[in-house]
Amino acid sequence: MSPVPLVLATRNEGKTQELKALLADFPVDIKNLTDFGPTPAIEEDGETFEENAVSKARFTAKVLGLPALADDSGLMVEALEGAPGVRSARYAGENATDLENNIKLLQELENVENRSAAFACTIAIAVPWGPALVYEGRCEGSITTEQAGTQGFGYDPVFYYPPLQKTFAQLSTQEKNRVSHRGQALRELRSEFEKVLIWLRQRLIESGWQWLEE
Ligand code: ITT
């Protein structure tokens, strides 16, 4: 069977790396947005991770005419009533860097005792015409008082994972993927991937990809 093409609908390098490692043994031909030159920017104005993941996957699938996988994720801090949540990438401003977001978070939590937090991830797979499939993962931890570690991306240096007694930035990609919100969402997808693959192939053939071998 020829592998089904799947575009990773993300511009985040850290996510891309983790998703590629998680999808390494799936029978798919992974493409990046960069393989297609400049593509229109995707609005992320949903109030939930699911809304954003579905709209990113749908839009990319439609624009490129190929199945697309999108990830919408973020950090929810209990003492901040769930913030930064869906606004995690833009917490310290529209084009904020990871470092600026982490500094702002540590400032907001200065002298705050309750440091419980969770990462959430919603993965959506969409085809150019038709519905989207959605998978979710969540990982509980706490926010440190200073940054530690150099691996990963985003809030990893301030997210402490108690079972391993390390921040996510102190774990390798493989170690993080084993326990992370993204790893869990992808494991949920893996458990039904054979069915998803049949679904993707059928939708592709219906939309003109007759040359996919059965
Ligand atoms: P795309 O929309 O292009 O995928 P993005 O960075 O804008 O990239 P999101 O809107 O989903 O993606 O924002 C997710 C933010 O949440 C991300 O920028 C990080 O700040 C944070 N985040 C998500 N998963 C994370 C992880 O595994 N480790 C650390 N931070 C994470």
Side-chain angles (χ1 to χ4, degrees), residues 10-12 15 44 56 153 155-156 176 181-182:
T10 176
R11 302 209 176 267
N12 181 315
K15 270 190 199 178
E44 282 191 51
K56 285 192 268 192
F153 69 99
Y155 297 93
D156 284 345
K176 179 180 165 189
H181 47 312
R182 187 161 296 104

Side-chain angles (χ1 to χ4, degrees), residues 11 33-34 41-42 47 81 91 121 153 168:
R11 302 209 176 267
L33 285 178
T34 46
I42 309 171
E47 282 305 312
E81 292 167 358
Y91 189 42
C121 173
F153 69 99
F168 267 6

